[in-house]
Amino acid sequence: MNDYLVKATACEGTVRAYAIRSTELVEEARRRQDTWATATAALGRMLTISTMMGAMLKGDDKITVKIEGDGPTGPIVADANAKGEARAYITHPHVDFDLNQQGKLDVARAIGTSGNLSVVKDLGLKEYFTGQVPIVSGEVSEDFTYYFASSEQVPSSVGAGVLVNPDQSVLAAGGFIIQVMPGATEDTIDYIEQSIQSLPAISSLIQAGKEPEDILKAVFGKEPFRLLEKLPIKFHCTCSLERIKNVISSLDLEEIDQMIEVDGGAEVTCHFCNEQYHLTKEDLIELKQTRES
Ligand SMILES: [Zn+2]
């Protein structure tokens, strides 16, 4: 079963909805980041929500979301674009706690309950949108719900969940974002709120084999919705040897000389995908000469 997300509208266009199955995406991030269970859930929720937010963009636009709490995971960063490609990294992946009182992975304890959630949208032509809100719970979904209301003035309900197998692999991951547009009636808002409150945990729906469309059916109930798009999603990192060379080339000359003379080369690991790049002494000398010319 491949991961994908769906976009839809309902209630005469006054409600916008996104739903996603991200099991494989989160599993790939887990393998690359080597996260332990609670950290996997934290990373997975960030990745799942940012992938849906990426799908709200157009063309070559990109989004970066970062949650920086006072918990042991340290900052978690996720990038996504309008093509359904996403990646993420977590500063300290080896974080695991007992389940919380609700029997869920204790994401708030891993991320922390104090700090910031920030969003940067790269809208091309050097145009950026940035927003930042304080963390309200550290559970990620609630933090994004608050972000949308406070920073984008769009009343939204955000859900994301990750289930982890005893062998640490990801069993199920998914989420939804439901947004109420101006013009929505009180009845519509009440209806959506009640239906979301009675929704089972999103990760258990995915585990039970439900598709993103089924999540929307569960949210909208008897209210019909119109499917606008179905978008395959995947883990994708933008790093390359060329980009790594550009980064090294921008360092101080002394640092490059040190790599040449002392280290005899350079090993660079991408934070996001854990890909390793090796530059030989000769590569570095060539970089330096290109820079000087
Ligand atoms: Zn990479």
Side-chain angles (χ1 to χ4, degrees), residues 66-76 91-92 95 97 106-117 133-139 143:
K66 180 180 185 183
I67 196 160
E68 198 164 10
D70 57 353
T73 61
I76 303 172
T91 310
H92 301 294
V95 175
F97 293 119
D106 202 347
V107 169
R109 191 172 167 196
I111 289 176
T113 52
S114 168
N116 290 301
L117 169 68
V133 292
I135 288 174
V136 288
S137 78
E139 291 286 349
D143 299 301

Side-chain angles (χ1 to χ4, degrees), residues 103 143 180 263 268:
D143 299 301
V180 178
D263 309 329
V268 181

Side-chain angles (χ1 to χ4, degrees), residues 3-293:
D3 287 344
Y4 66 91
L5 65 78
V6 289
K7 304 182 198 179
T9 61
C11 311
E12 283 87 45
T14 59
V15 177
R16 254 193 334 219
Y18 302 81
I20 187 170
R21 179 177 61 221
S22 53
T23 310
E24 289 169 18
L25 173 70
V26 176
E27 168 61 8
E28 182 154 0
R30 178 201 68 87
R31 276 194 293 106
R32 290 178 181 272
Q33 297 281 311
D34 190 32
T35 46
W36 292 358
T38 314
T40 301
L43 180 75
R45 289 183 195 177
M46 283 289 285
L47 193 51
T48 298
I49 295 168
S50 63
T51 306
M52 287 186 280
M53 291 175 77
M56 294 174 185
L57 304 172
K58 295 187 189 75
D60 293 324
D61 296 353
K62 288 176 290 214
I63 186 168
T64 298
V65 302
K66 180 180 185 183
I67 196 160
E68 198 164 10
D70 57 353
T73 61
I76 303 172
V77 177
D79 272 354
N81 63 23
K83 302 178 194 96
E85 298 169 334
R87 60 179 191 167
Y89 82 79
I90 186 163
T91 310
H92 301 294
H94 295 165
V95 175
D96 195 21
F97 293 119
D98 290 339
L99 299 180
N100 64 17
Q101 286 176 340
Q102 289 79 44
K104 293 188 172 175
L105 290 161
D106 202 347
V107 169
R109 191 172 167 196
I111 289 176
T113 52
S114 168
N116 290 301
L117 169 68
S118 60
V119 173
V120 178
K121 294 181 195 176
D122 177 352
L123 306 171
L125 299 169
K126 296 198 162 48
E127 198 191 326
Y128 293 92
F129 166 88
T130 59
Q132 182 170 298
V133 292
I135 288 174
V136 288
S137 78
E139 291 286 349
V140 185
S141 302
E142 289 162 37
D143 299 301
F144 277 96
T145 297
Y146 181 68
Y147 160 79
F148 279 115
S150 161
S151 213
E152 299 198 12
Q153 285 85 46
V154 182
S156 308
S157 176
V158 182
V162 176
L163 289 176
V164 176
N165 284 309
D167 72 356
Q168 299 292 317
S169 64
V170 175
L171 172 62
F176 62 81
I177 300 176
I178 312 295
Q179 302 193 304
V180 178
M181 300 293 117
T185 63
E186 285 299 320
D187 283 351
T188 296
I189 296 170
D190 289 347
Y191 178 75
I192 300 287
E193 269 178 4
Q194 283 187 8
S195 120
I196 288 170
Q197 268 171 18
S198 59
L199 206 64
I202 196 81
S203 51
S204 58
L205 288 175
I206 299 285
Q207 187 200 356
K210 301 289 185 202
E211 304 283 344
E213 290 91 334
D214 299 323
I215 296 170
L216 295 186
K217 278 180 200 154
V219 169
F220 290 117
K222 60 179 174 26
E223 189 69 40
F225 61 88
R226 193 160 72 91
L227 215 56
L228 301 175
E229 193 185 349
K230 185 171 165 177
L231 181 68
I233 58 157
K234 64 167 194 224
F235 186 97
H236 175 76
C237 194
T238 51
C239 69
S240 65
L241 183 60
E242 223 37 54
R243 281 180 183 238
I244 300 291
K245 282 182 175 175
N246 283 339
V247 171
I248 293 182
S249 177
S250 67
L251 297 174
D252 287 339
L253 266 186
E254 282 169 28
E255 279 183 77
I256 301 175
D257 280 336
Q258 168 142 358
M259 288 175 191
I260 294 169
E261 306 302 334
V262 183
D263 309 329
E267 293 285 348
V268 181
T269 304
C270 173
H271 280 319
F272 283 96
C273 67
N274 225 9
E275 194 74 35
Q276 290 189 341
Y277 294 93
H278 178 71
L279 280 84
T280 61
K281 193 172 175 174
E282 290 69 33
D283 291 333
L284 292 171
I285 293 170
E286 198 186 315
L287 265 186
K288 205 177 130 183
Q289 283 165 350
T290 322
R291 197 173 105 149
E292 281 164 351
S293 64

